[in-house]
Amino acid sequence: MKRILILLFFFLPISAQAEVPSFSTWINTRGSALSVFFVDPATGAFSGTYVNRAAGFECQDVPYAAVGASKGTSVTFRVDWKGVLIPDCHSTTVWTGLLVGSTLKTKWRLDYTGSDGKPHTMYGRDVFTKQ
Ligand code: BTN
C-alpha cells in the first residue's frame, strides 16, 4: 500500500502536466496562434480561438472559434473557418497531434471548396510551441 502511494505521489503530477493547460497560448512555425481557454478536467474538452497567420492561406488575422480535446499527450482540435461578421473561407481544418513538453507536433487536414466549386483536401504539419 505504501509503495502504491509513493508511486502515485511521483507519477500523478507528471501525467497532469502532460495535458494542454487551461488558458494557454500556442504559436506555430507559420506564426498562427491557438489560444486554449478552459480545459474540462473530466473530459479533456476545450474551446478557444485560432488566429491564422500562415502565408498562402485566407481567413488571416481574425480569431476563429476552435474546439478540441486533450487527453494525456494526445491533442485534437478543429476550426471551421466561418463565424459572425468575419470572413467565411468555406473550409475546415482538423489538427491531431502529440504533446511533448511545451511542443505540440501536429498533422492537419484542410477541407475546402475550391474556386471550381468542388470539394478539395490539403494535408500538412504544424509544430506549436507553448508561450
Ligand atoms: C483557408 O485558407 O481556407 C482557411 C485558413 C486555413 C489556414 C491553414 S490551417 C493549416 C495551416 N496552419 C495554419 O496555421 N494555417 C494553415
Side-chain angles (χ1 to χ4, degrees):
M1 185 60 182
K2 198 173 166 188
R3 276 191 198 153
I4 292 171
L5 285 176
I6 290 168
L7 281 172
L8 279 176
F9 179 82
F10 281 105
F11 287 107
L12 270 183
I14 292 169
S15 62
Q17 279 175 2
E19 296 187 10
V20 166
S22 293
F23 309 108
S24 55
T25 300
W26 301 77
I27 306 285
N28 72 15
T29 52
R30 303 169 200 265
S32 301
L34 167 70
S35 296
V36 174
F37 301 154
F38 182 70
V39 183
D40 182 340
T43 62
F46 66 81
S47 58
T49 60
Y50 196 95
V51 178
N52 171 43
R53 296 199 179 90
F57 294 90
E58 296 168 16
C59 285
Q60 297 246 356
D61 300 319
V62 178
Y64 286 84
V67 288
S70 166
K71 266 287 174 195
T73 56
S74 83
V75 179
T76 178
F77 62 97
R78 165 198 181 107
V79 174
D80 289 324
W81 299 101
K82 65 181 175 188
V84 179
L85 298 179
I86 52 176
D88 184 345
C89 278
H90 304 281
S91 56
T92 298
T93 308
V94 176
W95 287 260
T96 52
L98 280 182
L99 189 58
V100 181
S102 56
T103 301
L104 174 58
K105 291 185 177 179
T106 66
K107 291 180 180 177
W108 52 260
R109 173 190 169 128
L110 169 62
D111 289 299
Y112 64 99
T113 304
S115 49
D116 56 3
K118 293 180 180 166
H120 297 267
T121 303
M122 259 179 93
Y123 297 91
R125 291 168 189 263
D126 275 328
V127 178
F128 294 83
T129 305
K130 185 171 169 289
Q131 299 305 290

